Amino acid sequence: MLSELMNIVFVGHVDHGKSTLVGRLLADVGALPEGRIEKLKNYCKLNAKPFEYAFLLDALADEQAQGITIDIARCFFKTSKRKYLILDAPGHIEFLKNLVTGAANAEAAFLVIDAEEGIQENTRRHAYMLTLLNIKQLIVLVNKMDLINYSEGRFNEVKNEFSTYLGKIGLLPIVYIPVCAREGENVARKSNLMTWYQGATILEALDKLDKQAADEDKPFRMPIQDIYKFTNENDKRRILAGQVSSGSLQVGDEIIVYPSGKKSTVKTIESFNALLQTSVKAGYSTGLTLHEQIYAKRGEVIVLAKEKQPQTASTLKVTLFWLGLKPLSPGKTYYLKLGTSKTKSVVKEITRVIDTSSLEILETASEVRANQAAECVLSLFMPIVFDTVQASPAMQRFVLVDEYDIAGGGIIQGYIEDKKSRLQEHFKSRNIHWVTGEISSEERAKVLNQTAHLILITGDSSPDLRKKFAIDLEKALFLQGKFPYYIGMANVKHSFENLETFINSPEENFHQFCQLLNILLNTGLIIVATATNLTNEDLAIIKMSTNQNNITAFWLSDKSLPADSEFIYLDSQAPSDKLLLHAQKNLNLTSVAK
Ligand code: GTP
Ligand code: MG
């Protein structure tokens, strides 16, 4: 049965023949549609262009424009052993994007070197990237052997030189193959011009690659892409949609959503345009409905309760490589994307920087420049879910986005325990043990005609002003037919102050406040809460505790908003009715139609 699929990536310096090799391989194994080559040859003749096998991939790209399935970066072909998905990466960024976005979780790489030109910077860099992405199966192709008269001596020279580099980075290639893409020597057939070489052809080497522990045998991981609601009147179910990155799952399985730790069991496995299924496995996109409704959001990860659990942390030790034009620098904010999650991150420390070409190590670098690799510590705004071993590499690889562009990527090597991750653990175990009643948040929302919402008011204005403003807002919302409830952090403090056992530190006080907000929001109310001088960090903790998206956080002050603030500025000197209006404009309080 031809069910096994292996993802392969072709990398190497510009013009060393990656596309020609892929084109030639497709042609020689008969993976191209009938007449494709003739058509292209005629086209080249008419346009007075020399025929190039690389054009075959461009021709396939045209096909995609017409809505057919193949695209330039990805092409499929099969041998008697299995199916292959080949990714021909035109440049660094595409290579990186494809690997990290999961378009190609490459299991093996072919690195192409022009025999005449020899090893170039990008040859070394690409090899280095492979180690950072944990791609261990490497085949080196020494191409354009025709240009050097199929010389064994030159082949060995390239091989020896490159082996020295690879040895230093701990990458041991399976084989070096001398090839000529243009003539098809050692591509799909053994070359008669290089009888000195007794090893495998590209095709044979492909089939000899090891299929790593199939992703479906690894622990189940499904990053949530989206949540859909059934549109049917009485159907309260929600569908949690996403692509399974590893493992498999069955109807009836107990699941936990990370990082919140909310538990439920799988009721149905929906699939698009198909009948209901009883199981789903790695590589497939699916939608799950659950017996007990839980609040989950994009970026969270569904795992199986009985399997190995992923890690959750907010201070990460990573190895990354940088491609951005602007150097990576400590203190600067980048978005970190892993799976479907996205969170702000700051570089806390650059531990060391490595020049990926010369392998020179800089222990005291103050920034990471394009084409350098580095070991860094990243501090995240919110904890994320990841795996360092065992599960799919997709749960370990990340990219960093500088403004709008992917500027770097790498893998998570480990984490450092911090306050946020300890709290996240605490909230998670609270959620795992929480016993809920039978009324869902949707049912509550319908009766109250509102969805739960947290309105936070903080800042450096006087406490009295904040309190007055919150109470006015509560009243205004109430008069509009909502169910709001005002609570000040001071109330919480006074509630617990006299208990002998309670150690009343400001930190404890804040945590009690976070717990209370979680309970109050569960009741479906709109909570108007005040607290002094909350920081972005505090806001992250409130989000972790309440696991809510419905939070609007205001900063009431007569000075300007602190730099990088996550809050919405309210000028406390504005007349109170204007201030109230301004605040209400920023609130997105959804009503639930009856
Ligand atoms: P980029 O996608 O730009 O990075 O290049 P590439 O690595 O895909 O190289 P491509 O396949 O486009 O080949 C570059 C040039 O090398 C083309 O003109 C090819 O015809 C030529 N070429 C590729 N393989 C061989 C070969 O085996 N022998 C000779 N003589 N030329 C080759
Ligand atoms: Mg190319």
Side-chain angles (χ1 to χ4, degrees):
M1 210 175 70
L2 255 182
S3 63
E4 195 171 279
L5 174 73
M6 193 166 213
N7 293 346
I8 310 286
V9 63
F10 272 68
V11 293
H13 194 72
V14 81
D15 269 359
H16 280 198
K18 300 176 290 292
S19 303
T20 309
L21 274 164
V22 176
R24 183 81 213 200
L25 190 62
L26 292 177
D28 290 0
V29 297
L32 295 169
E34 213 33 63
R36 158 79 67 207
I37 296 188
E38 281 62 40
K39 219 166 122 188
L40 191 60
K41 280 187 173 159
N42 284 337
Y43 171 84
C44 289
K45 221 188 226 164
L46 279 174
N47 291 278
K49 273 190 185 178
F51 168 80
E52 288 270 0
Y53 277 98
F55 292 163
L56 282 167
L57 302 187
D58 299 336
L60 295 173
D62 287 340
E63 237 181 33
Q64 201 213 9
Q66 294 158 23
I68 308 171
T69 48
I70 317 161
D71 66 45
I72 187 164
R74 287 149 58 101
C75 40
F76 286 92
F77 80 96
K78 59 186 179 198
T79 64
S80 55
K81 184 160 180 194
R82 61 187 158 213
K83 283 192 226 167
Y84 292 96
L85 189 165
I86 300 220
L87 179 85
D88 171 31
H92 300 345
I93 294 276
E94 286 73 13
F95 170 44
L96 182 63
K97 267 190 208 157
N98 278 294
L99 284 171
V100 182
T101 54
N105 278 322
E107 293 160 84
F110 281 75
L111 201 154
V112 182
I113 308 175
D114 181 323
E116 193 181 49
E117 232 181 79
I119 295 151
Q120 301 293 311
E121 276 209 330
N122 284 343
T123 320
R124 288 189 283 263
R125 281 180 186 141
H126 284 180
Y128 201 95
M129 282 187 188
L130 297 175
T131 66
L132 288 193
L133 294 166
N134 257 342
I135 297 171
K136 302 225 165 68
Q137 301 195 81
L138 169 68
I139 290 171
V140 181
L141 303 176
V142 181
N143 187 32
K144 306 195 191 180
M145 288 298 289
D146 55 320
L147 296 181
I148 51 148
N149 272 328
Y150 300 100
S151 149
E152 183 180 8
R154 174 63 185 153
F155 169 76
N156 282 332
E157 210 174 277
V158 173
K159 180 177 167 179
N160 292 339
E161 187 189 339
F162 202 46
S163 297
T164 311
Y165 176 83
L166 291 182
K168 286 188 197 153
I169 61 171
L171 197 57
L172 187 69
I174 299 168
V175 60
Y176 286 79
I177 312 179
V179 296
C180 170
R182 203 173 258 180
E183 307 302 331
E185 304 295 329
N186 283 335
V187 176
R189 62 165 174 82
K190 271 213 163 16
S191 171
N192 296 323
L193 303 169
M194 292 179 274
T195 44
W196 48 266
Y197 172 77
Q198 300 296 324
T201 61
I202 295 182
L203 193 58
E204 287 164 350
L206 268 174
D207 278 351
K208 273 194 215 150
L209 290 169
D210 278 335
K211 181 77 194 163
Q212 282 154 358
D215 276 346
E216 61 206 70
D217 297 334
K218 294 175 180 165
F220 180 82
R221 303 287 187 255
M222 181 178 126
I224 299 175
Q225 225 147 39
D226 228 324
I227 319 265
Y228 301 105
K229 282 184 196 159
F230 278 89
T231 41
N232 222 337
E233 252 300 291
N234 287 320
D235 205 336
K236 286 173 292 191
R237 287 174 306 161
R238 286 156 168 258
I239 303 180
L240 310 185
Q243 191 185 27
V244 180
S245 60
S246 63
S248 63
L249 165 136
Q250 313 233 324
V251 166
D253 276 343
E254 189 177 17
I255 57 128
I256 302 180
V257 176
Y258 270 76
S260 72
K262 300 214 167 155
K263 265 188 169 175
S264 191
T265 43
V266 179
K267 189 171 183 186
T268 59
I269 298 173
E270 313 277 327
S271 57
F272 309 100
N273 312 318
L275 294 172
L276 282 183
Q277 292 166 328
T278 53
S279 70
V280 66
K281 62 182 184 183
Y284 289 86
S285 290
T286 189
L288 308 178
T289 70
L290 306 175
H291 278 290
E292 307 81 29
Q293 296 307 309
I294 53 178
Y295 181 80
K297 52 186 184 298
R298 181 183 162 90
E300 291 190 280
V301 181
I302 299 176
V303 313
L304 274 182
K306 64 179 181 215
E307 290 182 336
K308 186 173 161 39
Q309 304 296 293
Q311 314 277 3
T312 311
S314 48
T315 304
L316 305 177
K317 285 195 209 171
V318 304
T319 312
L320 55 80
F321 44 87
W322 193 248
L323 301 167
L325 289 176
K326 286 187 218 149
L328 173 104
S329 44
K332 204 179 156 201
T333 305
Y334 302 95
Y335 274 107
L336 180 143
K337 283 188 180 182
L338 185 148
T340 56
S341 73
K342 181 178 166 190
T343 180
K344 271 190 188 171
S345 70
V346 172
V347 182
K348 217 171 143 187
E349 180 191 307
I350 296 173
T351 320
R352 51 192 205 147
V353 169
I354 305 123
D355 183 307
T356 52
S357 179
S358 69
L359 297 181
E360 186 194 353
I361 293 172
L362 308 164
E363 301 281 359
T364 53
S366 59
E367 58 181 25
V368 186
R369 275 176 266 131
N371 289 316
Q372 288 181 325
E375 286 166 24
C376 299
V377 178
L378 299 179
S379 173
L380 309 188
F381 183 63
M382 297 286 280
I384 56 158
V385 188
F386 60 93
D387 285 292
T388 44
V389 276
Q390 276 216 349
S392 141
M395 289 286 294
Q396 188 182 13
R397 292 175 187 162
F398 67 86
V399 286
L400 289 181
V401 179
D402 188 7
E403 283 154 23
Y404 299 101
D405 301 319
I406 290 183
I411 50 174
I412 300 176
Q413 305 282 13
Y415 62 94
I416 299 169
E417 244 200 41
D418 60 8
K419 186 172 114 190
K420 256 189 272 179
S421 56
R422 277 198 304 276
L423 278 169
Q424 184 65 58
E425 275 306 303
H426 176 74
F427 296 137
K428 189 176 75 196
S429 81
R430 175 198 73 190
N431 292 343
I432 287 177
H433 294 106
W434 201 275
V435 179
T436 45
E438 286 175 7
I439 303 155
S440 70
S441 55
E442 281 86 359
E443 284 168 310
R444 283 179 209 281
K446 210 161 181 187
V447 169
L448 295 171
N449 193 29
Q450 69 184 28
T451 33
H453 198 104
L454 173 62
I455 303 164
L456 263 180
I457 300 153
T458 187
D460 54 10
S461 63
S462 80
D464 283 346
L465 187 66
R466 225 171 12 245
K467 209 184 306 170
K468 178 179 179 310
F469 178 72
I471 290 170
D472 286 352
L473 187 57
E474 182 197 33
K475 200 192 282 166
L477 292 169
F478 190 71
L479 292 175
Q480 286 165 25
K482 304 282 182 198
F483 290 86
Y485 185 73
Y486 163 68
I487 181 143
M489 192 161 133
N491 297 357
V492 182
K493 182 172 172 238
H494 296 306
S495 305
F496 294 101
E497 193 164 58
N498 295 325
L499 291 180
E500 270 171 45
T501 49
F502 184 63
I503 308 156
N504 203 357
S505 73
E507 201 175 355
E508 268 305 320
N509 189 210
F510 176 65
H511 295 157
Q512 296 289 347
F513 181 57
C514 292
Q515 301 286 13
L516 200 67
L517 291 178
N518 176 52
I519 297 173
L520 287 170
L521 286 168
N522 283 344
T523 67
L525 293 177
I526 293 170
I527 304 303
V528 187
T530 52
T532 315
N533 275 329
L534 292 181
T535 59
N536 285 348
E537 193 84 359
D538 297 331
L539 183 58
I541 293 168
I542 291 173
K543 284 185 177 168
M544 281 154 55
S545 170
T546 59
N547 197 39
Q548 284 280 340
N549 270 343
N550 302 339
I551 297 181
T552 312
F554 294 109
W555 184 264
L556 191 64
S557 168
D558 58 5
K559 300 180 201 82
S560 59
L561 198 62
D564 282 334
S565 179
E566 300 275 320
F567 295 82
I568 299 168
Y569 180 66
L570 290 178
D571 181 355
S572 63
Q573 284 180 325
S576 63
D577 52 337
K578 272 219 170 120
L579 195 56
L580 211 56
L581 261 176
H582 177 54
Q584 284 197 270
K585 249 196 209 152
N586 279 293
L587 289 172
N588 179 20
L589 304 175
T590 13
S591 289
V592 183
K594 284 205 175 98

